[in-house]
Amino acid sequence: MSDDRTTDGTATAPIVDPARALPHTSRDDYEAAVAQARRAAAAYYAGEQSIDDADYDALYARITASEREHPAWRVADSPTAVVGTPGGDIEHSTPMLSIGNVFNSEGLHDWAAKLDKALGHPATSYSVEPKIDGLAIAARYAEGRLVLIATRGDGHTGEDVTSQARLVAGLPARLSAPVTIEVRGEVYMTDADFAKGCDLRLAHGEPVFANPRSAAAGSLRAQRVYDVPLSFMAYAAHGLPDEHAHSHSASIAYLGTLGVATTAQSSAGLTVCTDIDEVTAAVAALGARRGELGFGIDGVVVKADLTADQAKAGFSTRAPRWGTAYKFPADTRTTKLLRIDVQVGRTGVITPVAVLEPVQVGGVVVTSATLHNFTDLERRDVRAGDTVHVRRAGDVIPEITGAVHEARPVDAEPYSPPVQCPRCGGDIDRGNLRWRCARGRACGEKATLLYYTSRDAMDIEGLGEKILDALLATGHITDAADLYALDVPTLAAMDRLGTVSATNLVGSIAATKARPLSRVLTGLGIRMTGRTLSRRIARHFGTMDAILAATPAEWEQVDGIGSERAAVIIAELAEVAPLIAKLAGHGVNMTEPTGPAVNAAPDSAAGSGLPLRRPDGTPMTVVVTGSVPGLTRNQGNEAVEELGGKSSGSVSAKTDFVVVGDGAGSKATKAADLGLPILDADKFAQLLTAHRTGDHDTATTILHTVARVTQPAA
């Protein structure tokens, strides 16, 4: 295994590029690695996963390096010579070959240079589409009727899975035209269908699936009394009419008209590029959206788009020269679950958390992951000591998707959930999937108060944790509103607080009464909201009265709030309504200075004149990374919205521009990779000042230094 480790023992990402892998030191080690790879492949096609994708890729890379260094070692069943698993009874019309891999933009440019050399000229165009994380199949249609479906198998012959695959979504029983063709593509599970499939398995007394990829492979080849939801996406076809076969993109478009689901129709889409620099940008853009697609991809497939270019470039012994796969870092890894902790949130929600042996997932070292809720934990039968699958797609919080039950230690005990609240010892309300202390917010009064007084919320200077502990212990306060009833004599009588400090603290507390409504909402800690959404809510409704009176339908008009989130927020607001009234009674501000104009409808003139509004009235999406002079991180995001924009915490192809200041990290790098416009933090601070002082000329001049910001988003 080529799993590197840092000096402190933390696991890093395995090496998956064969060019960087070290060969085995002995033939026995090489043959053992081949045997392990074949076992892993067999387990995968049976619906299990003995090692994770990154470790398999690393294993494959080292086998490749060994065969390059010692050609005489190569065995007939090496994974470099055999595609997939042993074949079946169905002979493929043409071999179903695998595709080569690259791992960075340098590798992509090297592949393009080799393609240009094979063609004798630069490729005319390229197609860029998602590499679906599923099981490759070939589906044959005779006069428009589906007659046979076979797995890839060893690339030359595959298994007949026609009966199991007839209900796969996206693979119609009849095409819209009576053509005789063979369609090739991937059978996979969407994220939503993976959850449904796990529930079906449990209902029939079987363990949940390890992950969507192995679930799709196993379900397609298994004979069961129930149907697991599966989907199909085409990436190629043979036998198409000539007028639809002059390019890959045209072939895929024609398949879509026949009723077959294709990569072009998916949320990932298919992009045609004119040069390799455009390809690199398209690959980066798709990688940035990886966690938002609703299904798993492990890379991007790049092909010479024109059929004539493909024919001229030809094939090597194992893969086409005209195509390659840009592999992403694995978003699912396996590691050891050290223990299961329980955390209690400030609103009383009780959650199990997995403490993990450090592992790198998607380029980030992960040491803990969510287990969602206790019902899900029991359903997946995850135990301390297990080898578990850890998933992190895009910017999603790491989660445990399942355990490798075959590798479970014999002494691993089933997890026992808490019978009392771990924080206060009170009863637990188990009425919902997310358990909660029966005392609700009262259980976490200290955590709630700390959050209310924090810099990102009401920012009460001089009120630290020790003073809060003393105030709670003496009964001077029970909630945030009680802070505004404190006086100098009461505080001065406490330990470590004299008259001067007490006077300053009372003044600091009083000053927060003028904070905007968005800060108050943030401080209340409403579930399923945060700083950004609290600002959005405050600017949408304008006043607390309007917020409390809003109907579910009105809540769903707020960007980022759907029906489920609206229901939770409404219930939370009802719960804290007495506290809100108490705060208002102490004179705490309940209005947003900018009012609802910032989130007015695009055709409204209410948002006109704001620098970060497009001509049609829609807000630009802006990411702030690093420090902005004179502003905290939260104030930088608030400034974006004050200027009429939409603040985002993640960089994607839909971002209009990125504000980059001192200390900027990966977001600035991703912005550069995507070719996004960048605005220096100093200029952003000048833009804010110009807007506040009404200096529209300066604001316009600054914005003109940022390309594309005045254009509608794609």
Side-chain angles (χ1 to χ4, degrees):
M1 223 33 99
S2 55
D3 180 35
D4 291 348
R5 290 186 177 269
T6 61
T7 54
D8 63 359
T10 301
T12 62
I15 295 173
V16 296
D17 186 347
R20 296 175 54 219
L22 296 175
H24 292 94
T25 56
S26 72
R27 184 164 187 164
D28 287 345
D29 289 344
Y30 159 76
E31 291 181 351
V34 170
Q36 183 184 6
R38 301 307 300 167
R39 287 194 302 271
Y44 159 65
Y45 283 97
E48 303 297 336
Q49 189 166 11
S50 57
I51 63 175
D52 61 44
D53 292 345
D55 284 334
Y56 180 83
D57 288 344
L59 186 67
Y60 182 92
R62 198 163 186 189
I63 290 171
T64 301
S66 297
E67 292 173 351
R68 184 174 58 242
E69 185 79 11
H70 306 284
W73 288 4
R74 188 176 186 182
V75 294
D77 64 345
S78 167
T80 66
V82 178
V83 179
T85 59
D89 299 327
I90 306 301
E91 184 174 351
H92 294 307
S93 56
T94 59
M96 293 186 71
L97 301 178
S98 63
I99 194 166
N101 296 322
V102 297
F103 303 90
N104 50 44
S105 59
E106 181 182 356
L108 195 56
H109 280 78
D110 287 345
W111 166 80
K114 291 176 183 176
L115 173 62
D116 292 349
K117 184 177 181 180
L119 293 174
H121 59 79
T124 308
S125 57
Y126 304 86
S127 63
V128 178
E129 59 193 324
K131 186 175 183 294
I132 309 300
D133 206 5
L135 177 72
I137 65 164
R140 296 179 188 175
Y141 286 87
E143 297 183 351
R145 185 172 62 88
L146 182 61
V147 294
L148 179 70
I149 304 171
T151 63
R152 180 169 65 176
D154 63 4
H156 299 281
T157 61
E159 294 181 66
D160 186 342
V161 291
T162 309
S163 60
Q164 300 97 300
R166 284 188 180 275
L167 297 179
V168 172
L171 198 60
R174 283 190 177 275
L175 302 177
S176 63
V179 292
T180 298
I181 60 173
E182 179 173 300
V183 179
R184 293 182 175 182
E186 295 276 333
V187 172
Y188 66 100
M189 267 192 185
T190 65
D191 295 344
D193 284 345
F194 176 65
K196 294 177 184 176
C198 287
D199 289 339
L200 279 170
R201 294 264 287 181
L202 284 172
H204 287 83
E206 300 177 35
V208 295
F209 293 118
N211 56 58
R213 181 185 182 188
S214 59
S219 298
L220 188 65
R221 302 172 73 249
Q223 297 286 348
R224 295 195 178 104
V225 296
Y226 58 93
D227 293 318
V228 172
L230 296 170
S231 297
F232 173 80
M233 203 177 291
Y235 57 68
H238 296 283
L240 295 179
D242 290 343
E243 63 268 27
H244 300 296
H246 59 85
S247 69
H248 173 67
S249 55
S251 299
I252 292 297
Y254 178 63
L255 287 178
T257 68
L258 295 177
V260 178
T262 69
T263 53
Q265 297 168 330
S266 72
S267 55
L270 183 151
T271 304
V272 177
C273 302
T274 58
D275 59 45
I276 198 62
D277 289 330
E278 282 188 19
V279 169
T280 302
V283 167
L286 189 50
R289 296 171 51 217
R290 183 182 183 187
E292 308 167 2
L293 301 176
F295 56 88
I297 65 173
D298 58 358
V300 178
V301 177
V302 182
K303 302 173 183 175
D305 190 47
L306 291 189
T307 304
D309 282 352
Q310 292 186 6
K312 189 172 183 179
F315 295 81
S316 67
T317 57
R318 191 172 185 272
R321 295 189 181 92
W322 43 261
T324 193
Y326 185 109
K327 291 293 291 291
F328 293 144
D331 69 349
T332 300
R333 297 293 311 279
T334 54
T335 190
K336 185 177 181 181
L337 173 59
L338 302 178
R339 67 179 187 275
I340 297 173
D341 286 348
V342 178
Q343 67 179 20
V344 184
R346 61 179 180 273
T347 61
V349 173
I350 304 170
T351 309
V353 177
V355 179
L356 306 169
E357 189 173 274
V359 62
Q360 191 171 90
V361 188
V364 175
V365 176
V366 173
T367 58
S368 64
T370 179
L371 287 161
H372 298 294
N373 55 67
F374 294 101
T375 300
D376 190 66
L377 174 55
E378 181 180 5
R379 174 177 81 151
R380 297 186 185 280
D381 187 21
V382 176
R383 307 179 185 183
D386 277 348
T387 297
V388 293
H389 299 283
V390 186
R391 180 173 184 263
R392 181 184 181 273
D395 292 326
V396 176
I397 297 171
E399 63 175 342
I400 303 296
T401 61
V404 183
H405 293 135
E406 296 77 11
R408 171 169 289 162
V410 294
D411 58 348
E413 295 288 339
Y415 178 73
S416 297
V419 295
Q420 294 178 310
C421 174
R423 177 190 281 156
C424 70
D427 293 336
I428 296 176
D429 178 3
R430 297 175 174 82
N432 296 300
L433 278 178
R434 299 182 73 192
W435 293 4
R436 195 180 186 198
C437 176
R439 296 180 63 217
R441 292 171 177 271
C443 170
E445 64 267 9
K446 178 181 174 182
T448 300
L449 281 163
L450 281 171
Y451 189 71
Y452 182 87
T453 62
S454 66
R455 172 178 289 185
D456 288 335
M458 297 301 276
D459 191 15
I460 301 179
E461 187 177 350
L463 185 55
E465 186 173 354
K466 290 182 178 179
I467 296 176
L468 276 178
D469 283 337
L471 290 170
L472 287 166
T474 56
H476 290 317
I477 62 172
T478 58
D479 58 33
D482 289 338
L483 293 170
Y484 298 95
L486 294 172
D487 55 29
V488 173
T490 299
L491 292 173
M494 298 175 62
D495 289 341
R496 302 181 182 179
L497 275 178
T499 300
V500 174
S501 296
T503 301
N504 290 337
L505 182 52
V506 168
S508 295
I509 295 171
T512 66
K513 292 180 181 181
R515 299 274 191 259
L517 173 61
S518 54
R519 290 294 193 103
V520 179
L521 274 177
T522 300
L524 290 173
I526 305 298
R527 278 192 295 161
M528 299 192 77
T529 70
R531 297 188 299 270
T532 299
L533 190 52
S534 291
R535 291 194 298 270
R536 203 174 299 158
I537 291 168
R539 288 185 165 93
H540 183 90
F541 291 109
T543 68
M544 181 64 81
D545 287 342
I547 289 173
L548 295 176
T551 65
E554 290 171 332
W555 274 104
E556 291 178 41
Q557 298 302 309
V558 181
D559 183 26
I561 296 181
S563 57
E564 293 184 8
R565 179 169 290 187
V568 172
I569 294 173
I570 290 170
E572 283 280 297
L573 286 168
E575 184 176 331
V576 299
L579 174 59
I580 292 172
K582 194 173 174 182
L583 287 167
H586 282 290
V588 175
N589 173 59
M590 294 291 168
T591 63
E592 188 70 6
T594 54
V598 174
N599 273 313
D603 59 354
S604 167
S608 62
L610 294 169
L612 299 186
R613 284 292 169 119
R614 303 187 186 90
D616 64 358
T618 58
M620 301 173 195
T621 299
V622 179
V623 174
V624 179
T625 179
S627 61
V628 176
L631 302 177
T632 65
R633 179 175 299 180
N634 193 39
Q635 288 170 340
N637 292 326
E638 289 177 339
V640 169
E641 295 176 5
E642 181 182 338
L643 293 166
K646 178 181 178 182
S647 175
S648 175
S650 59
V651 176
S652 75
K654 295 182 180 180
T655 304
D656 286 283
F657 68 90
V658 179
V659 176
V660 176
D662 291 341
S666 60
K667 292 177 183 177
T669 302
K670 182 179 286 189
D673 290 341
L674 291 175
L676 296 175
I678 291 174
L679 181 65
D680 182 78
D682 288 328
K683 286 190 175 181
F684 181 72
Q686 293 169 19
L687 173 65
L688 181 63
T689 300
H691 171 66
R692 288 175 173 174
T693 59
D695 187 352
H696 302 301
D697 290 340
T698 298
T700 300
T701 299
I702 293 171
L703 282 177
H704 280 166
T705 67
V706 186
R708 208 189 74 190
V709 299
T710 58
Q711 302 302 316

